[in-house]
Amino acid sequence: MSRQKRTMKSWLQSSFDLDGFDDAPKKPKLSQNGSSKNLEATIEDFDVKVCIKKKPTNNLTSLLNICAPQKSVDLAVSRQKQQEINRWFQEKIKHGQPNILVISGPSGCGKTEALKVLAKQNNYDVIEWTTPMDQGIDENNRTVSQVEKFEDFIVRATRYNSVLSDCSRRLLLVKDLPHSYTSGKDDFTVLLHKYCQYGREPLVFIATESGSSKLMTTLFSQSNRDRFSMEFININAVTPTALKNVMKRVSSILNNKASQMLQITQNKIDEVLSNSIGDVRSALLNLIFSSLKVSKKFTSECSSREETLGLLHGIGRVINPKKTTTSDGKSWRFVHNPDDLASCFQTQANTFISFVHENYLNTIGPNMNGATAAIDAISMADIFNAEWRDHNMHKVALSHCVRGVMLANDKPVSQWNPVKKPNRTDFQG
């Protein structure tokens, strides 16, 4: 029998995600007097094996889940609005009868979280509608649209109990309506009629838009509110004091649960609070991303171009070069390195040389020797550019032009001269 068990263990694997729980716990051996030998140690070993290893929180969804409020005191919604929602749970809802509530307010003011927390306190199980991304197919191979799925959810979701829930009552939550209702292709009133006829549990709509929006004036208009006895609760944006309390609560949670990837300080919290506009979700995301730990600072290895240099600015540095004396006072050098200037315009070498050819005489003055040396450098650059068999010759031509013109103009004219566009017929801008 024992041999058969060992054989079965070789191909049987547990479906439960329990670390270190491959084999069944061994029974403690009893001594002759009937007492258990090292019973306490054996129980401790068993507890260690059964306990599930805590996995680190390393993704955004997990971080947001652990920051979700669990009690009413953790909510960012005011106590007055919490009392209104509780009053609707306790006084307006009648068992087995349909009831509609619309909660409106700006994005991130805590509408959904407040409803879920208060529903749990009133022993309600929240069943949330999620709009499918694609069309489904039923058992008859018929395409089912989003509207049909939504109507089926509204009518049938409250007729069957969940075996995984401890709550005795249920509540339908709709945050995202199918687009066909908001665009007017399908009649939202027909859906409300079906719910009032067949629905047995309360229905809550979360409207993110303001009271003057299209959603409020069409789907949840005053006539529909009166016709279907809708209750309406409007929640304002989160106050700075409430947002500060939320940030204080979540910062301690994140520093405790996600210390391996986050380092939240009071300066980060103050910075987020100073830029907040009453949106808890946005403030929480900003706090998480601004507090991420960066293990290594990456530096750029490209040093050939340290600044963004415009074409006209580069032309000015070539035709009007600036010089400075060295520390020993015996020699000089250019303020702007010719190699750096050439490296900035390697992709437009022909254009740069043409601009230099058009404008170099404006700053070289009456120095005929300098003008002759400059035109010789530009002419040689044109010859280099004519060599089409080597694609690197345009770099050589640009470098020769820049160096030759800067060296030729030893005494540039110190006056403002506008840069002119080349008049050559073969120039392509």
Side-chain angles (χ1 to χ4, degrees):
M1 185 67 180
S2 60
R3 182 178 181 182
Q4 183 180 1
K5 287 184 178 180
R6 288 195 298 269
T7 305
M8 293 177 63
K9 285 183 180 180
S10 62
W11 59 271
L12 284 177
Q13 292 183 354
S14 174
S15 299
F16 300 97
D17 187 14
L18 299 178
D19 296 335
F21 194 64
D22 297 333
D23 297 329
K26 298 180 181 180
K27 293 183 179 180
K29 296 182 180 181
L30 297 178
S31 60
Q32 295 179 356
N33 55 5
S35 60
S36 176
K37 183 179 180 180
N38 297 329
L39 180 59
E40 295 180 358
T42 306
I43 293 176
E44 292 178 358
D45 294 339
F46 177 78
D47 292 338
V48 172
K49 290 182 178 180
V50 174
C51 290
I52 301 176
K53 184 178 180 180
K54 180 182 176 182
K55 297 181 179 180
T57 304
N58 54 5
N59 59 74
L60 183 59
T61 303
S62 301
L63 294 177
L64 296 178
N65 289 336
I66 63 177
C67 293
Q70 304 298 327
K71 299 178 293 183
S72 58
V73 294
D74 299 334
L75 297 175
V77 179
S78 63
R79 293 183 180 180
Q80 179 183 358
K81 296 302 178 180
Q82 294 183 32
Q83 292 175 358
E84 292 183 18
I85 299 176
N86 277 323
R87 193 179 303 115
W88 179 78
F89 276 113
Q90 299 168 4
E91 299 178 2
K92 300 295 183 179
I93 297 179
K94 296 182 180 180
H95 183 67
Q97 296 184 7
N99 198 297
I100 302 177
L101 172 65
V102 180
I103 302 179
S104 66
S107 176
C109 66
K111 303 181 294 294
T112 304
E113 296 299 331
L115 178 68
K116 290 182 178 180
V117 171
L118 297 177
K120 185 178 180 180
Q121 291 183 358
N122 288 274
N123 199 24
Y124 276 89
D125 184 20
V126 177
I127 305 175
E128 185 174 350
W129 158 258
T130 303
T131 302
M133 298 300 296
D134 53 358
Q135 295 179 342
I137 299 177
D138 59 5
E139 61 275 5
N140 298 323
N141 292 329
R142 185 179 64 89
T143 302
V144 181
S145 63
Q146 292 183 357
V147 174
E148 293 176 332
K149 289 184 178 181
F150 183 68
E151 293 180 355
D152 185 71
F153 168 80
I154 294 296
V155 174
R156 297 186 181 183
T158 61
R159 293 179 176 268
Y160 305 99
N161 294 325
S162 174
V163 297
L164 302 177
S165 175
D166 297 333
C167 300
S168 58
R169 294 173 292 185
R170 288 160 295 172
L171 178 144
L172 301 185
L173 174 61
V174 178
K175 295 173 56 179
D176 185 18
L177 285 169
H179 180 67
S180 57
Y181 289 120
T182 57
S183 61
K185 295 181 180 179
D186 292 282
D187 193 357
F188 187 65
T189 308
V190 176
L191 173 67
L192 296 178
H193 271 297
K194 289 184 179 180
Y195 167 73
C196 292
Q197 183 178 1
Y198 301 105
R200 297 179 181 178
E201 303 293 348
L203 173 62
V204 179
F205 291 99
I206 301 294
T208 303
E209 300 175 339
S210 60
S212 60
S213 63
K214 180 180 178 181
L215 184 64
M216 289 293 136
T217 56
T218 55
L219 301 185
F220 303 113
S221 61
Q222 189 62 43
S223 59
N224 283 341
R225 298 181 198 177
D226 299 336
R227 187 175 183 181
F228 300 102
S229 301
M230 294 183 183
E231 296 291 332
F232 190 85
I233 298 177
N234 183 36
I235 298 179
N236 299 323
V238 182
T239 61
T241 303
L243 186 58
K244 183 178 180 180
N245 294 333
V246 172
M247 292 294 103
K248 182 179 179 181
R249 178 181 63 86
V250 300
S251 61
S252 60
I253 295 176
L254 293 176
N255 281 331
N256 184 26
K257 301 291 185 179
S259 58
Q260 74 280 0
M261 61 180 299
L262 296 177
Q263 186 177 4
I264 300 177
T265 60
Q266 187 62 39
N267 293 334
K268 296 291 184 181
I269 297 177
D270 295 339
E271 182 180 356
V272 170
L273 292 176
S274 62
N275 298 324
S276 63
I277 54 175
D279 190 337
V280 178
R281 186 186 304 107
S282 177
L284 179 57
L285 292 176
N286 290 336
L287 181 63
I288 291 175
F289 286 119
S290 62
S291 303
L292 288 173
K293 291 182 179 179
V294 181
S295 58
K296 181 180 179 181
K297 294 183 179 180
F298 296 94
T299 57
S300 176
E301 296 180 357
C302 180
S303 59
S304 61
R305 183 175 181 177
E306 298 179 354
E307 61 177 337
T308 302
L309 189 62
L311 177 63
L312 300 183
H313 199 181
I315 295 296
R317 292 183 178 182
V318 172
I319 64 177
N320 191 7
K322 296 181 180 180
K323 302 176 182 179
T324 181
T325 57
T326 58
S327 58
D328 55 3
K330 299 181 179 181
S331 60
W332 59 269
R333 63 181 179 85
F334 289 114
V335 174
H336 305 290
N337 193 330
D339 291 335
D340 294 339
L341 293 175
S343 65
C344 293
F345 303 97
Q346 291 181 357
T347 58
Q348 45 184 343
N350 293 334
T351 302
F352 193 87
I353 294 173
S354 300
F355 268 89
V356 172
H357 191 186
E358 182 67 27
N359 296 275
Y360 79 100
L361 287 178
N362 295 332
T363 59
I364 207 167
N367 185 4
M368 296 302 298
N369 294 330
T372 302
I375 194 60
D376 289 342
I378 296 174
S379 300
M380 186 60 66
D382 288 336
I383 295 174
F384 289 153
N385 273 331
E387 182 56 50
W388 53 270
R389 289 170 293 185
D390 191 348
H391 298 289
N392 293 321
M393 288 303 296
H394 70 279
K395 299 179 182 180
V396 178
L398 180 62
S399 178
H400 184 80
C401 176
V402 170
R403 288 173 177 273
V405 174
M406 293 180 69
L407 289 173
N409 195 0
D410 54 349
K411 296 180 180 180
V413 177
S414 58
Q415 65 180 16
W416 182 79
N417 292 289
V419 177
K420 299 179 182 180
K421 184 178 180 179
N423 293 323
R424 293 172 55 181
T425 57
D426 60 342
F427 169 72
Q428 295 179 355

